[in-house]
Amino acid sequence: MSRRMRAFKRWMMSHCIVYSDALVFVDSPDGISVRALYDLKEGDLVATIPKRSCLTIRTSGISSLIEASGLDGCLGLALALMYERSLGAASPWEGYLQILPDRECVPFTWSLEEVDNLLVGTELHKTVKEDQKFLVEDWKEYIEPLIQSGPLEMDWAYFGIEQYFSAKSLVASRSFEICEYHGSGMVPLADLFNHKTGAENVHFMLASSSSGSDDETAGNVFDASDDDKPPAKNLSNTSVNGPNGTLEMIVVKEVEAGGEVFNTYGCMGNAALLHKYGFTESNNPFNIVNIDLDQVLGWCSSSFSNRYCRSRLASWRKLNFSGCTSQVDSEYFEIDSDGEPQLELRILLYVMFLSETMHQKLNCGIDSLTRATEADKLIKLLEMTRTDSLEQRSEDLEELLLTDDVCQSLLCLADIRETLYGASSLKEEISRLQNCCRMKERKLYYSLVLRLSERKIIGRLRSYAHRYLNRRKAKCK
């Protein structure tokens, strides 16, 4: 066992953190992981963690200044972490902080050159640039003035922009939502369990808490770069309030001796995993690719007039359809891991290719469609815009949206989306990944996994469109 792990174990003991002797901590160049020394059975209690041992705004030595400044959420927690780090051995969390990396390898800590080279074309490229801009703004607006005029003497070496980025990366990737009183916090021991999609072994829950005068409501979250609050990472019963109480770690899926014990951060695709936690997974079933509405409209404008496109888009909007919205307020459509495009995209393309007669008919009856339930809206749309009876059709209703024109447009959109990745081919990127060392080239490795997972989905989108084109051709013979 490494020296830092021995120190951390002593620190846990002094802070009443109790864990099963069936757990063993493995400290490797790739980070710390938790393994089962013995078989773990479902229902086993493997650890208890007092809430007061967690580093939160409430428990930090700078809590009064943070709360007086109106800071909360991840921004306030990042400042608390920076402060405790500045204390060194004098911090009550020194034994815990020394096992944390200086920063997590999340993309907002990468250089601009790395972001542009490694993430171009991916879902994260624009998002990470926005993250970096927001983080700089947050530091200048909230942290810098507080350090300059605050009542505490603080060493700038611990509160500069780089230190803020480092602290924010740890908070973003490791913090848990604990309860209403504490809000989000760093939970020692709990954050050592690695994620694996669909392979949760332990579940965190609040075992007890005190009640009484601890019902203060949380203030406003000022951190503009937050995606709301950190994910709970399977910490349930978070409505239990109060400063005291303990967190329990319960086995929910048995682990054989020698196996790694996993937590799960939720069902996330590789873009979300890399964005929030700094890693990706091969064969992640929750991967998606986005196609921006602007890309769709740009392609439509190459075939139709701008007036025509605006008219069809307006009809689609009147039906109360829309795409998804990102944190940078761009509208997009998701392509799932199997290559199936979001229903709203298929409907938009269907409306784009309606004949002028059918489009006028749609606009005349659009009020009746907007009053229809979501389940009936598609049926009524197809009934209104087709010449044949739906009762005579054996296909799935959604398949009727996939006209030849819609399928051809999906193929064109796939080609447009593919160009965003640059000149390198899919084959070339597969070769680069095979020759890449994850340990030595972590950023390149995980970004290549993300790029390949997205490009494979684009390939499946093409297969999806070809499948329905071929099916229609077969029916016409």
Side-chain angles (χ1 to χ4, degrees):
M1 184 182 299
S2 66
R3 179 180 298 178
R4 66 173 184 164
M5 280 308 306
R6 289 195 296 269
F8 178 54
K9 291 181 74 172
R10 290 194 297 270
W11 181 87
M12 285 194 291
M13 183 179 297
S14 68
H15 284 74
C16 302
I17 297 176
V18 181
Y19 60 91
S20 169
D21 59 5
L23 300 181
V24 61
F25 307 104
V26 180
D27 194 353
S28 69
D30 200 29
I32 299 172
S33 60
V34 183
R35 292 188 174 272
L37 192 58
Y38 315 116
D39 289 347
L40 296 177
K41 303 297 183 183
E42 185 176 340
D44 286 350
L45 174 64
V46 293
T48 57
I49 306 168
K51 286 199 283 185
R52 286 195 176 274
S53 70
C54 302
L55 175 53
T56 70
I57 292 175
R58 297 275 198 170
T59 61
S60 73
I62 200 176
S63 60
S64 59
L65 179 59
I66 294 175
E67 293 178 3
S69 302
L71 303 183
D72 208 333
C74 290
L75 177 57
L77 182 58
L79 180 56
L81 178 57
M82 293 163 72
Y83 176 75
E84 295 300 332
R85 279 183 149 183
S86 74
L87 297 179
S91 171
W93 283 274
E94 194 269 341
Y96 163 60
L97 296 178
Q98 54 85 34
I99 71 165
L100 299 179
D102 175 66
R103 59 173 57 187
E104 293 291 352
C105 193
V106 291
F108 68 71
T109 66
W110 300 3
S111 69
L112 182 59
E113 182 180 6
E114 288 171 331
V115 172
D116 283 337
N117 289 339
L118 301 180
L119 298 179
V120 63
T122 71
E123 301 306 310
L124 293 186
H125 193 206
K126 293 180 182 178
T127 301
V128 171
K129 286 188 171 184
E130 289 294 318
D131 287 343
Q132 293 176 333
K133 182 182 73 173
F134 288 142
L135 286 170
V136 171
E137 291 174 355
D138 287 345
W139 183 83
K140 289 182 177 179
E141 185 172 355
Y142 301 110
I143 305 297
E144 186 178 30
L146 191 62
I147 304 308
Q148 289 177 335
S149 61
L152 298 180
E153 293 185 2
M154 299 180 180
D155 187 343
W156 271 93
Y158 293 97
F159 295 92
I161 186 67
E162 289 300 320
Q163 288 70 36
Y164 177 60
F165 268 67
S166 295
K168 195 67 194 306
S169 73
L170 294 171
V171 168
S173 61
R174 289 175 173 263
S175 62
F176 294 75
E177 188 70 14
I178 296 173
C179 65
E180 184 180 348
Y181 178 84
H182 284 283
S184 59
M186 309 295 287
V187 183
L189 178 61
D191 59 4
L192 298 185
F193 291 81
N194 291 322
H195 164 88
K196 189 174 182 180
T197 299
E200 177 192 11
N201 298 121
V202 291
H203 191 83
F204 301 85
M205 61 188 304
L206 284 169
S208 62
S209 71
S210 63
S211 59
S213 61
D214 301 312
D215 296 327
E216 301 177 25
T217 57
N220 294 325
V221 178
F222 290 105
D223 195 341
S225 64
D226 286 341
D227 294 329
D228 297 320
K229 290 186 177 181
K233 294 184 186 175
N234 287 331
L235 180 61
S236 60
N237 298 335
T238 55
S239 61
V240 180
N241 201 7
N244 301 315
T246 58
L247 311 175
E248 289 185 342
M249 300 167 59
I250 308 292
V251 176
V252 294
K253 183 179 179 182
E254 64 180 28
V255 185
E256 293 184 355
E260 184 168 358
V261 185
F262 290 104
N263 181 24
T264 183
Y265 306 159
C267 300
M268 301 182 188
N270 279 337
L273 285 176
L274 185 58
H275 185 215
K276 293 177 179 291
Y277 305 109
F279 66 91
T280 52
E281 294 179 313
S282 299
N283 303 315
N284 187 332
F286 298 102
N287 287 329
I288 59 170
V289 166
N290 297 338
I291 294 180
D292 289 345
L293 175 60
D294 287 343
Q295 293 172 332
V296 177
L297 297 179
W299 177 81
C300 291
S301 295
S302 67
S303 301
F304 307 105
S305 68
N306 289 333
R307 181 178 179 181
Y308 176 100
C309 293
R310 289 196 301 270
S311 173
R312 301 305 172 103
L313 178 65
S315 298
W316 179 75
R317 293 232 186 259
K318 288 177 184 177
L319 293 169
N320 295 325
F321 290 118
S322 64
C324 306
T325 305
S326 70
Q327 70 178 48
V328 293
D329 295 327
S330 63
E331 196 169 352
Y332 63 90
F333 303 100
E334 293 182 351
I335 312 299
D336 70 19
S337 60
D338 293 327
E340 181 174 321
Q342 189 174 329
L343 176 61
E344 286 79 0
L345 173 58
R346 285 174 277 165
I347 293 174
L348 174 59
L349 294 174
Y350 179 82
V351 172
M352 280 286 176
F353 285 101
L354 286 176
S355 67
E356 193 59 38
T357 300
M358 287 300 181
H359 184 233
Q360 291 176 3
K361 183 178 179 183
L362 172 62
N363 280 332
C364 290
I366 209 160
D367 288 341
S368 64
L369 283 174
T370 55
R371 291 193 297 268
T373 64
E374 290 301 312
D376 291 338
K377 190 182 295 184
L378 178 58
I379 297 175
K380 291 183 177 297
L381 171 64
L382 291 169
E383 286 178 339
M384 190 176 294
T385 57
R386 295 184 64 89
T387 57
D388 56 349
S389 172
L390 296 187
E391 295 179 356
Q392 299 174 2
R393 310 290 303 205
S394 59
E395 299 102 320
D396 183 278
L397 286 177
E398 292 186 12
E399 184 178 334
L400 297 178
L401 294 170
L402 297 169
T403 63
D404 287 354
D405 287 329
V406 170
C407 289
Q408 290 291 353
S409 65
L410 289 174
L411 291 173
C412 292
L413 289 172
D415 291 340
I416 292 170
R417 185 64 181 80
E418 182 83 35
T419 62
L420 300 182
Y421 296 101
S424 60
S425 67
L426 180 63
K427 185 177 180 180
E428 288 171 336
E429 295 208 329
I430 291 174
S431 177
R432 288 183 70 195
L433 179 61
Q434 291 171 341
N435 295 317
C436 180
C437 177
R438 182 172 62 87
M439 296 291 293
K440 295 180 180 180
E441 302 172 284
R442 181 184 178 95
K443 297 174 184 177
L444 174 61
Y445 179 88
Y446 287 131
S447 63
L448 281 172
V449 172
L450 172 62
R451 291 168 64 88
L452 287 172
S453 64
E454 291 185 357
R455 297 184 74 169
K456 288 177 180 178
I457 292 175
I458 293 173
R460 295 183 195 119
L461 172 61
R462 292 192 183 96
S463 298
Y464 174 93
H466 279 302
R467 182 166 64 250
Y468 285 101
L469 279 174
N470 293 335
R471 189 176 296 180
R472 290 188 174 281
K473 290 179 181 178
K475 289 180 179 179
C476 293
K477 291 181 179 180

